[in-house]
Each structure stands twice: as structure tokens, then as C-alpha cells.
Amino acid sequence: MYNLILFGPPGSGKGTQSELLIKQYGFKHLSTGDLLRKEMKEGTPLGMQAKGLIAEGKLVPDEVVIGMIRSAVEAHPDVPGFLFDGFPRTIAQAEALDALLAEKDAAINNVLFLKVNQEELIKRLIGRAETSGRLDDADPEVQRKRQEVYTNETLPVAAHYAKAGIVKDIDGEGSIDDIFNRLAAAIGSLG
Ligand code: AMP
């Protein structure tokens, strides 16, 4: 199994690039944001619990997302690997993921960190707000909160994996194709 985390701040292109990477490599895409939005749409108790937190740009509790990821991983025992997108977002989530994969004699093989400058991130999020229909994209105050949560809670996850020497920085600016080619080159050389 080859497991990858696509890492980066809100607006760095994780969702867009994940779609291209799963087509090319056959990874099972696991996006906790997508899974949570599905729960919300279906009006499940978990979705109802998550809704207010997502609308405010706050994180959903670790045990909730860890439980979702465990179920999703266990539901796909035969895939060539997982592409984690928007997860892990805290050190506790990273440690739980490492433990879950270790149970299956697997690990995170690489973390590809999409680097995008602040100005470009804001520009992309404003653009996305016009088309995504996501309430957490539309409000600048919520966007600011998400950036703050990213800096305080999520950035340490990159340092956690950097200790294992598996983080690779990828220039996340330029055309979608250029960025995809950089990611593919990194996977090719590391995989
Ligand atoms: P995303 O689509 O990844 O930007 O996620 C949208 C929102 O869902 C985030 O702002 C959080 O409120 C929530 N969320 C997604 N993934 C996680 C996670 N791994 N841990 C906690 N909350 C999450």
C-alpha cells in the first residue's frame, strides 16, 4: 500500500489535485470535508453535530473525524492506497491515523505539501466562494478563522511527519496541469 497525504492550507488546491491524482493512480480518495458535507446533506446526527462548527470555520472533534476515517479505511481493504485530503488536521488525528495504518502493517509513505502564497490563497477562496455554494467559503470572517485554525492546529502536523523525513514541498502556484505534473513527478520519484 502507498498512502499519501495531500497537505496545505484552505484554498491550496487539495481538492482539485486529489481528483486528478486518484484518476492517475487509483488511490481511494478520503476527504473528511467531503465526508462531513455528505453527512450534513443527508441530515444524519453526525452531520447535524458538524454543521454549526463547519459554518464557524472551527474543527469538528477529533474523535468524530477519526471514527469516520477508520470506517472508510476498513470499508476499502483492497485499494492500492489512500489519498488523505483535509485529514489529519491535528496532531491527535495524525497519531490516530499512524496507529490505524500500523494495525494494517501500513504507514503514511509521503506528505506532499502544496505551497501557495497568502495573497493567492485569498484570491482563490474568493473565487471559490462564487461557485462552491459553501457557506464557509462565503464569509470573510469564517475564512479568516479557518486560516487561523490551520496555522495553530494543522501546521504542526507537517512538522510531525517531517520528523520521519517524508514531507515534500510542492510549488502550488501556476496552472492546474503544472501543479499536477509536479505532484506526479514527486510521487514517481518517491513512490
Ligand atoms: P475542507 O473541505 O477540508 O475545507 O473542510 C471543511 C470543514 O470541515 C473544515 O473547516 C472543518 O470545519 C471540517 N473538517 C474537515 N476535515 C476535518 C478534520 N480532519 N478535522 C476536523 N474538522 C474537519
Side-chain angles (χ1 to χ4, degrees):
M1 249 218 266
Y2 176 87
N3 298 304
L4 186 68
I5 295 173
L6 196 53
F7 193 85
S12 58
K14 299 187 296 295
T16 304
Q17 294 297 333
S18 290
E19 294 304 327
L20 299 172
L21 289 169
I22 56 171
K23 264 192 220 143
Q24 177 90 3
Y25 296 101
F27 295 120
K28 174 67 190 164
H29 181 202
L30 292 184
S31 154
T32 39
D34 287 352
L35 291 170
L36 288 165
R37 280 184 288 276
K38 183 164 176 278
E39 298 277 346
M40 275 167 30
K41 209 168 138 202
E42 291 170 358
T44 65
L46 195 158
M48 309 289 263
Q49 187 195 346
K51 199 171 180 172
L53 293 166
I54 293 177
E56 288 176 37
K58 294 181 181 160
L59 292 183
V60 173
D62 286 335
E63 56 275 19
V64 172
V65 283
I66 291 166
M68 274 186 350
I69 287 288
R70 173 176 282 278
S71 307
V73 166
E74 291 185 341
H76 298 90
D78 297 322
V79 294
F82 292 97
L83 192 171
F84 297 96
D85 160 11
F87 178 90
R89 258 179 159 96
T90 64
I91 290 287
Q93 292 178 21
E95 287 173 349
L97 177 62
D98 295 345
L100 170 63
L101 293 175
E103 275 174 34
K104 314 203 176 296
D105 290 325
I108 292 298
N109 298 85
N110 284 119
V111 178
L112 300 183
F113 189 162
L114 287 168
K115 299 279 182 169
V116 179
N117 78 62
Q118 190 67 22
E119 227 173 280
E120 171 72 14
L121 283 178
I122 293 167
K123 211 170 84 188
R124 287 189 193 174
L125 284 170
I126 291 169
R128 189 166 90 182
E130 286 166 12
T131 54
S132 72
R134 280 175 54 170
L135 291 175
D136 60 338
D137 281 342
D139 182 340
E141 184 53 29
V142 175
Q143 280 188 17
R144 196 196 53 72
K145 178 72 189 166
R146 283 162 67 203
Q147 293 292 342
E148 180 192 307
V149 167
Y150 170 78
T151 305
N152 296 335
E153 309 226 26
T154 305
L155 209 45
V157 170
H160 168 85
Y161 288 109
K163 278 188 227 150
I166 57 170
V167 179
K168 183 151 177 60
D169 289 353
I170 304 289
D171 176 1
E173 295 181 20
S175 74
I176 290 174
D177 282 351
D178 285 347
I179 300 164
F180 174 73
N181 289 334
R182 289 178 205 133
L183 289 166
I187 292 171
S189 69
L190 299 166

